[in-house]
Amino acid sequence: MNKLLTSMFALAVASVTAVSAHAQEIKGDAKAAEQKIAMCIGCHGIQGYQASFPEVYRVPMISGQNAKYIVSALNAYKKGERKHPTMRGIADTLTDQDMADLGAYYELHGKTEPVTKAPKAPDAKVAALLQKGACISCHGDNFAKPIDPSYPKIAGQHKDFLFVALKSYKVENQATWGRNNGVMGGIAKQFSNAELKAMASYIGSLEGDMKVVPQSKFR
């Protein structure tokens, strides 16, 4: 890992440690979240549902995602570090306890045995890109075992969402789009969009723990 990535990695660990310490103070209640998920179901509980801003892509799978990552992501929207207008509006309505409850709920939602078999190997070009980005050093074995639970599982996530998410870390000075994250920004900006798309396609092709569990708003 080069010096830039080493320093960014150290910063990430320090930041995650602080966030994780705070998150440990609040215990999520998955049962309580059953009364709080209406705002989530409309996008994340529909098979094949697509967002249309800033381009068309399938919304991310969150059933089976790490609880602490869900909390971290919601906090990032609330703080404006992630600028998607819809998610920022939702996050603004949530308390820390709400976020913890939602995280606990979706970590267990539709949970099955984790994927244990080795993933298919990438081609040489994609392997070199993944090595350059040091992706596995944070997202862990098979891209499904992050080194810290406030990092996301990404194996099997929708490839079009992964591509849009990666591109968003390159966006600067936009009021309604982009993600401010020093570590991911530094990594994403090393790559062309075509290279990001190639990495997203490979990671999205892997088997993962996440899924879309259909849910009705009218149940």
Side-chain angles (χ1 to χ4, degrees):
M1 190 181 297
N2 61 36
K3 291 182 179 180
L4 172 62
L5 290 178
T6 300
S7 61
M8 290 192 301
F9 182 72
L11 175 61
V13 170
S15 299
V16 165
T17 300
V19 171
S20 297
H22 176 68
Q24 288 173 357
E25 299 170 6
I26 302 174
K27 185 175 182 180
D29 184 338
K31 186 68 176 177
E34 292 178 4
Q35 306 304 315
K36 304 177 182 182
I37 59 173
M39 68 192 81
C40 310
I41 289 173
C43 293
H44 298 284
I46 300 175
Q47 286 279 5
Y49 188 83
Q50 294 180 316
S52 58
F53 177 79
E55 61 189 79
V56 176
Y57 61 93
R58 285 169 293 176
V59 300
M61 294 180 279
I62 58 174
S63 294
Q65 183 59 272
N66 290 328
K68 287 185 179 180
Y69 169 70
I70 291 175
V71 172
S72 176
L74 288 170
N75 271 309
Y77 285 114
K78 191 168 188 174
K79 294 174 183 177
E81 295 167 356
R82 296 188 179 189
K83 301 175 184 178
H84 190 282
T86 302
M87 284 303 304
R88 285 198 68 183
I90 290 171
D92 280 344
T93 70
L94 301 175
T95 65
D96 288 348
Q97 185 64 60
D98 292 335
M99 293 182 189
D101 293 346
L102 291 171
Y105 177 87
Y106 278 107
E107 183 173 75
L108 297 173
H109 193 226
K111 189 169 186 178
T112 56
E113 289 298 314
V115 174
T116 56
K117 67 180 183 181
K120 64 179 182 181
D123 63 33
K125 179 180 177 181
V126 171
L129 295 174
L130 294 169
Q131 184 175 17
K132 179 180 177 181
C135 305
I136 205 166
S137 67
C138 289
H139 296 286
D141 291 343
N142 302 352
F143 302 95
K145 297 179 182 178
I147 61 167
D148 186 280
S150 58
Y151 289 158
K153 301 177 183 179
I154 55 175
Q157 184 60 270
H158 297 310
K159 64 182 181 181
D160 48 353
F161 166 73
L162 289 173
F163 177 48
V164 169
L166 286 168
K167 285 194 298 181
S168 73
Y169 288 110
K170 297 169 68 174
V171 174
E172 296 181 345
N173 303 317
Q174 293 291 326
T176 59
W177 184 245
R179 298 184 178 189
N180 297 331
N181 181 291
V183 176
M184 284 303 302
I187 292 171
K189 289 171 185 175
Q190 299 179 90
F191 301 103
S192 69
N193 286 347
E195 290 172 330
L196 293 177
K197 190 170 188 177
M199 289 190 287
S201 294
Y202 169 70
I203 294 169
S205 73
L206 303 176
E207 291 189 55
D209 302 335
M210 296 172 293
K211 61 180 72 174
V212 177
V213 180
Q215 295 174 277
S216 171
K217 292 188 288 185
F218 306 105
R219 59 186 180 144

